[in-house]
């Protein structure tokens, strides 16, 4: 199945030196005057909203890049392999190629990138712990949003310092009219978090919404949901090296923010307000499905499936 087409097209444009969508379409026509690569569809492909269905587009693409690999390989390869192949073929450093790709079509994608206006920065994140060993406690993380490749040009890095080591997840930031979405993946494992946040409003002092994932520390896998607050810091270096992890029971978020350079008036009232936000729907603020409840349902449907197998 074709994957990461938008990023691959940007890398292709970067290595060819094409500036606009029209330039890229002209390059495809140069190798095949009857190519199925056209401006109308290319706009959706470059925004990641669709991908070419005709195999001939990928065949033309392979000819355009003068690759030994087939069009099918271009469609199905992962982004790292694709980047390495075209960088080697055209004698360009991979890191430099990725940097150029991140700058492609800036003018024509102004609206998409504008949706993320003001989001870049560093945030102190507070949510309720999912681990059964820290039930009811707050967990603190650090989120950095920076310019990067992709339609919206934003990449997020989220980290927590846990008793088992440092957890770091990276992924795209996808601002939209109805919300801000982040899909974060562990750079060294298989942990994934998904954040669905309220749309940002200027001056983007705080973000809030839901974080969904599975507890990292615990005897069983549990799909989990919690509300999360992301407080933007004026100085990204504040508290560097002392970030994250489980906060002691009864900890004050307002007091913790003071250590990060944010001193709020009436801290007791602020703490009550933040606690109400984070603790909605359950006593400890986290919503989790007990594994036993799901296993009981699994038993019903597994038995029915097996009884009617074949």
């Amino acid at each position: 199945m074709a994957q990461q087409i938008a990023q691959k097209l940007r890398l292709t444009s970067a290595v060819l030196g094409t500036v606009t969508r029209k330039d890229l379409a002209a390059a495809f026509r140069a190798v095949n005057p009857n190519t199925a690569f056209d401006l109308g569809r290319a706009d959706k492909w470059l925004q990641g909203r669709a991908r070419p269905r005709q195999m001939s587009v990928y065949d033309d693409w392979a000819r355009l890049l003068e690759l030994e690999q087939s069009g099918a390989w271009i469609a199905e390869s992962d982004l790292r392999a694709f980047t390495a192949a075209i960088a080697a073929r055209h004698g360009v450093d991979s890191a430099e190629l990725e940097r150029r790709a991140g700058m492609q079509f800036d003018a024509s994608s102004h609206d998409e990138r504008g949706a993320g206006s003001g989001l870049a920065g560093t945030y102190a994140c507070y949510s309720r712990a999912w681990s059964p060993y820290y039930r009811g406690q707050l967990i603190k993380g650090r989120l950095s949003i920076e310019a990067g490749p992709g339609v919206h040009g934003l990449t997020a890095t989220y980290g927590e310092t846990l008793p088992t080591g440092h957890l770091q997840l990276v992924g795209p930031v996808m601002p939209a009219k109805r919300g801000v979405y982040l899909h974060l993946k562990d750079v060294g494992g298989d942990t994934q978090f998904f954040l669905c946040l309220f749309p940002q409003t200027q001056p983007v002092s705080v973000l809030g919404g839901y974080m969904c994932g599975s507890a990292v520390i615990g005897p069983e896998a549990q799909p989990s949901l919690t509300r999360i607050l992301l407080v933007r810091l004026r100085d990204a270096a504040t508290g560097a090296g002392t970030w994250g992890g489980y906060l002691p029971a009864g900890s004050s978020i307002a007091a913790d923010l003071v250590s990060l350079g944010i001193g709020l008036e009436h801290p007791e009232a602020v703490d009550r307000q933040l606690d109400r936000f984070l603790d909605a729907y359950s006593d400890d603020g986290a919503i989790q499905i007990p594994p036993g409840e799901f296993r009981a349902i699994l038993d019903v449907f597994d038995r029915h499936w097996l009884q009617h197998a074949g």
Side-chain angles (χ1 to χ4, degrees):
M1 178 181 292
Q3 59 173 326
Q4 298 175 301
I5 297 303
Q7 296 95 320
K8 290 175 181 176
L9 283 173
R10 291 176 186 276
L11 287 162
T12 298
S13 181
V15 80
L16 296 176
T18 56
V19 177
T20 67
R21 288 173 170 81
K22 289 184 179 180
D23 294 337
L24 185 58
F28 269 83
R29 287 196 301 273
V31 297
N32 179 6
N34 298 314
T35 184
F37 187 103
D38 66 72
L39 276 176
R41 284 178 287 188
D43 190 59
K44 293 182 179 180
W45 298 339
L46 282 160
Q47 292 179 28
R49 295 191 288 126
R51 52 180 177 261
R53 295 182 180 180
Q54 300 98 321
M55 197 61 215
S56 64
V57 172
Y58 301 104
D59 293 336
D60 292 342
W61 199 343
R63 292 173 58 196
L64 176 63
L65 289 172
E66 301 176 352
L67 294 177
E68 296 179 356
Q69 292 89 338
S70 67
W73 180 87
I74 287 182
E76 298 170 3
S77 62
D78 63 54
L79 195 60
R80 180 177 297 179
F82 179 81
T83 304
I86 64 173
R89 177 65 184 84
H90 294 271
V92 182
D93 179 72
S94 293
E96 172 62 16
L97 185 59
E98 290 173 348
R99 186 192 69 80
R100 293 182 197 172
M103 299 171 63
Q104 293 299 309
F105 310 114
D106 278 349
S108 57
S109 62
H110 175 77
D111 291 341
E112 291 95 338
R113 290 175 181 263
S117 175
L119 283 171
T122 300
Y123 299 79
C125 307
Y126 301 92
S127 59
R128 288 297 178 184
W130 290 335
S131 170
Y133 306 126
Y134 298 91
R135 185 77 67 199
Q137 292 180 224
L138 289 167
I139 188 165
K140 175 184 174 184
R142 173 190 178 116
L143 180 81
S144 296
I145 298 178
E146 301 175 336
V151 173
H152 301 292
L154 295 171
T155 298
T157 302
Y158 177 78
E160 294 175 351
T161 301
L162 304 176
T164 53
H166 185 68
L167 175 69
Q168 181 170 297
L169 303 96
V170 178
V173 180
M174 298 162 282
K177 290 182 179 179
R178 307 291 292 180
V180 177
Y181 309 99
L182 292 78
H183 185 191
L184 308 174
K185 299 181 180 181
D186 186 354
V187 296
D190 60 3
T191 301
Q192 299 188 39
F193 293 164
F194 180 75
L195 278 69
C196 176
L197 309 174
F198 284 103
Q200 79 275 18
T201 56
Q202 297 300 327
V204 197
S205 61
V206 64
L207 299 171
Y210 285 112
M211 180 166 69
C212 178
S214 186
V216 176
I217 299 178
E220 296 180 295
Q222 277 188 282
S224 305
L225 179 73
T226 181
R227 290 189 178 191
I228 185 170
L229 282 170
L230 303 86
V231 181
R232 190 178 181 190
L233 304 180
R234 292 185 180 275
D235 183 0
T238 301
T242 61
W243 278 91
Y246 299 104
L247 300 182
S251 291
S252 162
I253 295 178
D256 190 71
L257 288 172
V258 169
S259 70
L260 299 176
I262 300 177
L264 299 168
E265 296 182 1
H266 312 297
E268 296 84 0
V270 170
D271 272 331
R272 289 193 295 271
Q273 186 176 9
L274 300 185
D275 285 342
R276 283 196 300 271
F277 178 86
L278 293 174
D279 290 347
Y281 306 127
S282 67
D283 293 337
D284 57 29
I287 301 174
Q288 295 177 304
I289 303 171
E293 288 186 12
F294 179 67
R295 280 197 295 269
I297 294 173
L298 190 66
D299 181 71
V300 171
F301 283 90
D302 279 356
R303 289 180 183 277
H304 179 272
W305 183 275
L306 294 171
Q307 287 170 1
H308 295 82

